[in-house]
Amino acid sequence: DSGVTQTPKHLITATGQRVTLRCSPRSGDLSVYWYQQSLDQGLQFLIQYYNGEERAKGNILERFSAQQFPDLHSELNLSSLELGDSALYFCASSVSGGVTGELFFGEGSRLTVL
Amino acid sequence: AQSVAQPEDQVNVAEGNPLTVKCTYSVSGNPYLFWYVQYPNRGLQFLLKYITGDNLVKGSYGFEAEFNKSQTSFHLKKPSALVSDSALYFCAVREESDSNYQLIWGAGTKLIIKP
């Protein structure tokens, strides 16, 4: 158990809808990262927050947004969903801003868009 | 630009044989290198890292990796494979001087260990 909690584990929705994925980092970790893993295995970095502030942005679509709250949990909002958004969405956390490179990943939220 | 290549989509090894999962990288400065493993239906787990020092790094579950600066490689190895090692393996790199500490990920290699 990594200590990172993601909810929901599975989500099925229709095109055009909006969903919110939630992540609770390990106790004491200030950084939260969001990744998308497609069926062909690739891991795409979406966005990173550090202590409530956006730290780095990857290939995140404009239809997607995220935030980190004062209690350090984070939410990833996906809107106007398309079939191609079906994927595993991982949250990871680290103590610092990633200095050590050791990230702790949650079990993921599997999103299916029909 | 920083990049990581895992040239093999899949590696098949018989149980008990040694295994190698390849990784090459490209950074302009000194690299920090990492291996992560993803078991089926699970999140990624940190295996080992190279920051500085001994080129042979030992990690979890009996894995080790060798940093080769001249070949810009960081191959993952294990002397004797177990069926339970079957998983998806990711190599990652970041440049020492990168103030954003961002990891650049390889595409992943599926390791299949056959009994």
Side-chain angles (χ1 to χ4, degrees), chain A residues 50-65:
Chain A
Y50 178 76
N51 204 18
E53 300 288 327
E54 182 182 305
R55 180 76 172 263
K57 210 173 222 185
N59 298 321
I60 188 167
L61 300 172
E62 286 190 12
R63 300 183 285 109
F64 296 0
S65 64

Side-chain angles (χ1 to χ4, degrees), chain A residues 1 33 35 37 41-43 45 48 55-56 88 90 97-103 105-107 110, chain B residues 9 32 34 36 38 41-44 46 49 51 88 90 94 99-103 105 107-108 110:
Chain A
D1 182 5
Y33 307 73
Y35 286 89
Q37 185 176 37
Q41 304 176 169
L43 197 65
F45 167 66
Q48 178 199 357
R55 180 76 172 263
L88 259 176
F90 285 108
V99 171
T100 66
E102 294 180 44
L103 305 184
F105 283 77
E107 300 282 286
R110 183 175 294 280
Chain B
D9 290 338
Y32 287 1
F34 308 86
Y36 282 78
Q38 183 181 22
N41 301 311
R42 303 294 297 275
L44 281 72
F46 171 79
K49 68 180 177 184
I51 302 296
L88 189 54
F90 289 94
R94 78 166 177 88
S99 58
N100 287 326
Y101 312 128
Q102 288 305 307
L103 292 179
W105 296 86
K110 188 173 186 178

